[in-house]
Coordinates of all heavy atoms in Angstrom, one line a residue:
H231 N 87.1 40.9 0.9 CA 88.3 41.3 1.6 C 89.2 40.1 1.9 O 90.5 40.2 1.8 CB 88.0 42.1 2.8 CG 89.2 42.6 3.6 ND1 89.8 41.9 4.6 CD2 89.9 43.8 3.4 CE1 90.9 42.6 5.0 NE2 91.0 43.7 4.3
D232 N 88.6 39.0 2.3 CA 89.4 37.8 2.8 C 90.2 37.2 1.6 O 91.2 36.6 1.8 CB 88.5 36.8 3.4 CG 87.9 37.2 4.7 OD1 88.5 38.2 5.3 OD2 86.9 36.6 5.2
D233 N 89.6 37.2 0.4 CA 90.3 36.6 -0.7 C 90.2 37.6 -1.9 O 89.3 37.6 -2.7 CB 89.6 35.3 -1.1 CG 90.6 34.4 -1.9 OD1 91.4 35.0 -2.7 OD2 90.5 33.2 -1.8
C234 N 91.3 38.4 -2.0 CA 91.3 39.4 -3.1 C 91.7 38.8 -4.4 O 91.8 39.5 -5.4 CB 92.2 40.5 -2.8 SG 94.0 40.0 -2.5
R235 N 92.0 37.4 -4.5 CA 92.4 36.8 -5.7 C 91.3 36.6 -6.7 O 91.5 36.3 -7.9 CB 93.1 35.5 -5.4 CG 94.4 35.6 -4.7 CD 94.9 34.2 -4.2 NE 94.0 33.7 -3.2 CZ 94.3 32.6 -2.5 NH1 95.3 31.9 -2.8 NH2 93.5 32.2 -1.5
V236 N 90.0 36.7 -6.2 CA 88.9 36.6 -7.1 C 88.9 37.9 -8.0 O 88.8 39.0 -7.4 CB 87.6 36.5 -6.4 CG1 86.4 36.4 -7.4 CG2 87.6 35.2 -5.5
T237 N 89.0 37.8 -9.3 CA 89.2 38.9 -10.1 C 87.9 39.5 -10.7 O 86.9 38.9 -10.6 CB 90.2 38.6 -11.3 OG1 89.6 37.5 -12.0 CG2 91.5 38.1 -10.8
D238 N 88.0 40.6 -11.4 CA 86.9 41.2 -12.1 C 85.7 41.5 -11.1 O 84.6 41.3 -11.5 CB 86.4 40.3 -13.2 CG 87.5 40.2 -14.3 OD1 88.2 41.2 -14.4 OD2 87.5 39.2 -15.0
H239 N 86.0 42.0 -9.9 CA 85.0 42.3 -9.0 C 84.0 43.3 -9.5 O 82.8 43.2 -9.2 CB 85.6 42.8 -7.7 CG 86.4 41.8 -6.9 ND1 87.2 42.1 -5.9 CD2 86.4 40.5 -7.1 CE1 87.7 41.0 -5.4 NE2 87.3 40.0 -6.1
G240 N 84.4 44.2 -10.4 CA 83.5 45.2 -10.9 C 82.7 44.8 -12.0 O 81.9 45.5 -12.5
H241 N 82.9 43.5 -12.5 CA 82.2 43.1 -13.7 C 81.4 41.9 -13.6 O 80.6 41.6 -14.5 CB 83.3 42.9 -14.9 CG 84.1 44.2 -15.2 ND1 85.2 44.5 -14.5 CD2 83.8 45.2 -16.0 CE1 85.7 45.6 -15.0 NE2 84.9 46.1 -15.9
D242 N 81.6 41.1 -12.6 CA 80.8 39.8 -12.5 C 79.4 40.1 -11.9 O 79.2 41.1 -11.2 CB 81.6 38.8 -11.7 CG 81.7 39.2 -10.2 OD1 80.8 38.9 -9.4 OD2 82.7 39.8 -9.9
R243 N 78.5 39.2 -12.2 CA 77.1 39.5 -11.8 C 76.9 39.5 -10.3 O 76.1 40.2 -9.7 CB 76.2 38.4 -12.4 CG 75.9 38.6 -13.8 CD 74.7 37.8 -14.3 NE 74.2 38.3 -15.5 CZ 73.0 37.9 -16.0 NH1 72.3 37.0 -15.4 NH2 72.6 38.4 -17.2
A244 N 77.7 38.7 -9.5 CA 77.6 38.7 -8.1 C 77.9 40.0 -7.5 O 77.1 40.6 -6.7 CB 78.5 37.6 -7.5
T245 N 78.9 40.6 -7.9 CA 79.3 42.0 -7.4 C 78.3 43.0 -7.8 O 77.9 43.9 -7.0 CB 80.7 42.4 -8.0 OG1 81.7 41.4 -7.6 CG2 81.1 43.7 -7.4
E246 N 77.8 42.9 -9.0 CA 76.7 43.9 -9.5 C 75.5 43.7 -8.7 O 74.9 44.7 -8.2 CB 76.5 43.6 -11.0 CG 75.4 44.6 -11.5 CD 75.1 44.3 -13.0 OE1 75.6 43.3 -13.5 OE2 74.3 45.1 -13.6
L247 N 75.1 42.4 -8.4 CA 73.8 42.2 -7.7 C 73.9 42.7 -6.3 O 73.0 43.3 -5.7 CB 73.5 40.7 -7.7 CG 72.1 40.3 -7.2 CD1 71.0 40.9 -8.0 CD2 71.9 38.8 -7.1
F248 N 75.1 42.5 -5.6 CA 75.3 42.9 -4.3 C 75.4 44.4 -4.1 O 74.9 45.0 -3.1 CB 76.5 42.3 -3.6 CG 76.2 40.9 -3.0 CD1 76.4 39.8 -3.7 CD2 75.7 40.9 -1.7 CE1 76.1 38.5 -3.1 CE2 75.4 39.7 -1.1 CZ 75.6 38.5 -1.8
A249 N 75.9 45.1 -5.2 CA 75.9 46.6 -5.2 C 74.4 47.1 -5.2 O 74.1 48.0 -4.5 CB 76.7 47.1 -6.4
L250 N 73.6 46.4 -6.0 CA 72.2 46.8 -6.1 C 71.5 46.5 -4.8 O 70.6 47.2 -4.3 CB 71.5 46.1 -7.2 CG 72.0 46.5 -8.6 CD1 71.5 45.5 -9.7 CD2 71.5 47.9 -8.9
L251 N 71.8 45.3 -4.2 CA 71.2 45.0 -2.9 C 71.6 46.0 -1.8 O 70.8 46.4 -1.0 CB 71.7 43.6 -2.5 CG 71.1 43.0 -1.2 CD1 69.5 42.8 -1.4 CD2 71.7 41.7 -0.8
A252 N 72.9 46.4 -1.8 CA 73.3 47.4 -0.8 C 72.5 48.7 -1.0 O 72.1 49.4 0.0 CB 74.8 47.7 -1.0
T253 N 72.3 49.2 -2.3 CA 71.5 50.4 -2.5 C 70.1 50.2 -2.0 O 69.5 51.1 -1.4 CB 71.5 50.7 -4.0 OG1 72.8 50.8 -4.5 CG2 70.6 51.9 -4.3
C254 N 69.5 49.0 -2.2 CA 68.2 48.7 -1.7 C 68.1 48.8 -0.2 O 67.1 49.2 0.4 CB 67.8 47.4 -2.2 SG 66.0 47.1 -2.3
V255 N 69.2 48.3 0.5 CA 69.2 48.4 1.9 C 69.3 49.8 2.4 O 68.5 50.2 3.4 CB 70.4 47.6 2.5 CG1 70.6 47.8 4.0 CG2 70.2 46.1 2.2
R256 N 70.1 50.6 1.8 CA 70.3 52.0 2.2 C 69.0 52.8 2.0 O 68.5 53.5 2.8 CB 71.4 52.7 1.5 CG 72.8 52.2 1.9 CD 73.9 53.1 1.4 NE 73.9 53.2 -0.1 CZ 74.5 52.4 -0.9 NH1 75.2 51.4 -0.4 NH2 74.4 52.5 -2.2
D257 N 68.5 52.8 0.7 CA 67.3 53.5 0.4 C 66.7 53.0 -0.9 O 67.2 53.3 -2.0 CB 67.6 55.0 0.2 CG 66.4 55.9 -0.1 OD1 65.3 55.4 0.0 OD2 66.6 57.1 -0.4
P258 N 65.6 52.2 -0.8 CA 65.0 51.6 -2.0 C 64.6 52.7 -3.0 O 64.6 52.4 -4.2 CB 63.8 50.9 -1.5 CG 64.1 50.6 0.0 CD 64.9 51.8 0.4
R259 N 64.3 53.9 -2.6 CA 63.9 54.9 -3.5 C 65.0 55.4 -4.4 O 64.8 56.0 -5.4 CB 63.3 56.1 -2.7 CG 62.0 55.8 -2.0 CD 61.6 56.9 -1.1 NE 62.7 57.1 0.0 CZ 62.6 58.1 0.9 NH1 61.5 58.8 1.0 NH2 63.5 58.2 1.8
A260 N 66.3 55.1 -4.0 CA 67.4 55.4 -4.9 C 67.5 54.6 -6.1 O 68.3 54.9 -7.0 CB 68.7 55.4 -4.1
L261 N 66.8 53.4 -6.1 CA 66.9 52.6 -7.3 C 66.1 53.2 -8.5 O 64.9 53.6 -8.3 CB 66.3 51.2 -7.0 CG 67.0 50.3 -6.0 CD1 66.2 49.1 -5.6 CD2 68.4 49.9 -6.5
T262 N 66.8 53.3 -9.6 CA 66.1 53.8 -10.8 C 65.3 52.6 -11.5 O 65.5 51.4 -11.2 CB 67.1 54.4 -11.8 OG1 68.0 53.3 -12.3 CG2 67.9 55.4 -11.1
G263 N 64.5 53.0 -12.5 CA 63.9 51.9 -13.3 C 64.8 51.0 -14.0 O 64.6 49.8 -14.1
R264 N 66.0 51.6 -14.4 CA 67.0 50.7 -15.0 C 67.6 49.7 -14.0 O 67.8 48.6 -14.3 CB 68.1 51.6 -15.6 CG 69.2 50.8 -16.3 CD 70.2 51.8 -16.9 NE 71.3 51.1 -17.6 CZ 72.4 50.6 -16.9 NH1 72.5 50.7 -15.6 NH2 73.3 49.9 -17.6
H265 N 67.8 50.2 -12.8 CA 68.3 49.3 -11.7 C 67.3 48.1 -11.5 O 67.7 47.0 -11.4 CB 68.5 50.1 -10.4 CG 69.6 51.0 -10.5 ND1 69.7 52.2 -9.7 CD2 70.8 51.0 -11.2 CE1 70.8 52.8 -9.9 NE2 71.5 52.1 -10.8
V266 N 66.1 48.5 -11.3 CA 65.1 47.4 -11.1 C 65.0 46.4 -12.2 O 64.9 45.2 -12.0 CB 63.7 48.0 -10.8 CG1 62.6 47.0 -10.6 CG2 63.7 48.9 -9.5
G267 N 65.1 47.0 -13.5 CA 65.1 46.1 -14.6 C 66.3 45.2 -14.6 O 66.2 44.0 -15.0
R268 N 67.4 45.7 -14.2 CA 68.6 44.9 -14.2 C 68.5 43.8 -13.1 O 68.9 42.6 -13.4 CB 69.8 45.7 -13.9 CG 71.1 45.0 -13.9 CD 71.4 44.3 -15.2 NE 72.7 43.6 -15.2 CZ 73.1 42.7 -16.0 NH1 72.2 42.2 -16.9 NH2 74.3 42.1 -16.0
I269 N 68.0 44.1 -12.0 CA 67.7 43.1 -10.9 C 66.8 42.0 -11.5 O 67.0 40.8 -11.3 CB 67.1 43.8 -9.7 CG1 68.2 44.7 -9.0 CG2 66.7 42.7 -8.7 CD1 67.6 45.6 -7.9
R270 N 65.7 42.4 -12.1 CA 64.8 41.5 -12.7 C 65.5 40.5 -13.7 O 65.2 39.3 -13.7 CB 63.6 42.2 -13.3 CG 62.5 41.3 -13.9 CD 61.4 42.2 -14.3 NE 60.2 41.5 -14.8 CZ 59.9 41.3 -16.0 NH1 60.6 41.9 -17.0 NH2 58.8 40.6 -16.4
Q271 N 66.4 41.1 -14.5 CA 67.0 40.3 -15.5 C 68.0 39.2 -14.8 O 68.0 38.1 -15.2 CB 67.9 41.1 -16.5 CG 68.6 40.3 -17.5 CD 69.5 41.2 -18.4 OE1 69.6 42.4 -18.2 NE2 70.1 40.6 -19.4
I272 N 68.8 39.7 -13.9 CA 69.7 38.8 -13.2 C 69.0 37.7 -12.4 O 69.4 36.5 -12.5 CB 70.7 39.6 -12.2 CG1 71.6 40.6 -13.0 CG2 71.5 38.7 -11.4 CD1 72.4 41.5 -12.2
V273 N 68.0 38.1 -11.7 CA 67.2 37.1 -10.9 C 66.5 36.1 -11.9 O 66.5 34.9 -11.6 CB 66.2 37.8 -10.0 CG1 65.3 36.7 -9.3 CG2 67.0 38.6 -8.9
G274 N 65.9 36.6 -12.9 CA 65.2 35.8 -13.9 C 66.1 34.8 -14.6 O 65.8 33.6 -14.7
D275 N 67.3 35.3 -15.0 CA 68.3 34.4 -15.6 C 68.7 33.2 -14.6 O 68.8 32.1 -15.0 CB 69.5 35.1 -16.0 CG 69.3 36.0 -17.2 OD1 68.2 35.9 -17.9 OD2 70.1 36.9 -17.5
F276 N 68.9 33.6 -13.4 CA 69.3 32.6 -12.4 C 68.2 31.5 -12.2 O 68.5 30.3 -12.2 CB 69.6 33.3 -11.0 CG 70.0 32.4 -9.9 CD1 71.3 32.2 -9.6 CD2 69.0 31.7 -9.2 CE1 71.7 31.3 -8.6 CE2 69.4 30.8 -8.2 CZ 70.8 30.6 -7.9

């Protein structure tokens, strides 16, 4: 919110990872197998 000049919020890995983290905070059971696999890929690449 403080700096809206950072573009492609919906496509960069940081935004994607934080969306998954927010889901995990609300209800970990809402994560699908695809979500968990994607988290594993992003964390592993890092």
Side-chain angles (χ1 to χ4, degrees):
H231 181 269
D232 289 344
D233 198 330
C234 60
R235 290 169 294 184
V236 180
T237 58
D238 293 333
H239 290 168
H241 300 88
D242 66 86
R243 280 196 165 193
T245 302
E246 181 182 5
L247 188 65
F248 272 97
L250 293 167
L251 184 63
T253 300
C254 202
V255 168
R256 289 192 303 270
D257 183 5
R259 293 171 298 180
L261 293 172
T262 65
R264 182 176 179 276
H265 289 152
V266 175
R268 182 59 176 158
I269 293 169
R270 185 172 183 256
Q271 180 184 3
I272 294 175
V273 172
D275 289 346
F276 180 97

